[in-house]
Amino acid sequence: MKLIIAIVQDEDVARLVSSLMNEGFGVTKLATTGGFLRAGNTTLLIGVDDEKYQPAMNVIEKICKSRRQIATSPSPVGGSTGTYMPYPIEVMVGGAICFVVQVEQFVKF
Ligand code: 2BA
């Protein structure tokens, strides 16, 4: 069994969760925040049997789009004594960032 930890943009979540559920996958949704943009995103935990791993990844790949986002530059970490001038930056976010880990044990009580 594998656990897919997928960080996706909020815009893609409704369609992605529906598609995964329709195909019989179990999904847990967490509200998360990106460290760079400090904007909301969503992390999905999807536990899958090994033979269902690739079909699940195919659904994620099909639905999650990459998008350009204009954001204000994050404020410097660590504080500063001078004046800080935020400036707009463009970044390409997504489609989805996926971490895949082998599950040692799956127990349901
Ligand atoms: P954020 O950290 O808010 O990053 C949003 C987007 O900003 C990233 O998109 C990337 O294009 C850009 N970015 C991130 N760090 C940057 C930096 N130091 N300098 C310049 N640009 C930077 P994605 O790569 O698609 O990442 C989307 C979200 O996935 C991230 O949101 C973060 O929440 C998560 N993520 C990405 N890589 C991760 C990692 N290695 N570990 C944990 N979470 C990660």
Side-chain angles (χ1 to χ4, degrees):
M1 188 181 207
K2 291 183 171 39
L3 177 65
I4 303 169
I5 303 166
I7 303 167
V8 302
Q9 295 170 75
D10 290 344
E11 293 88 330
D12 294 323
V13 170
R15 275 188 66 214
L16 179 57
V17 171
S18 300
S19 300
L20 288 167
M21 300 295 295
N22 288 343
E23 301 214 14
F25 294 105
V27 181
T28 295
K29 187 178 145 197
L30 307 171
T32 45
T33 303
F36 186 69
L37 294 179
R38 298 179 193 190
N41 54 27
T42 298
T43 299
L44 299 180
L45 305 180
I46 310 155
V48 291
D49 290 328
D50 286 343
E51 68 273 16
K52 292 296 203 112
Y53 163 70
Q54 198 51 55
M57 293 298 272
N58 292 345
V59 174
I60 297 170
E61 185 180 10
K62 191 174 93 185
I63 290 182
C64 294
K65 311 278 181 234
S66 44
R67 297 181 179 88
R68 284 178 205 286
Q69 279 196 20
I70 305 289
T72 307
S73 59
S75 54
V77 176
S80 60
T81 47
T83 307
Y84 173 68
M85 291 288 290
Y87 55 94
I89 48 168
E90 184 182 277
V91 290
M92 184 69 83
V93 185
I97 299 291
C98 296
F99 299 91
V100 180
V101 294
Q102 198 68 42
V103 174
E104 197 168 305
Q105 230 187 344
F106 171 77
V107 182
K108 186 173 170 180
F109 293 109

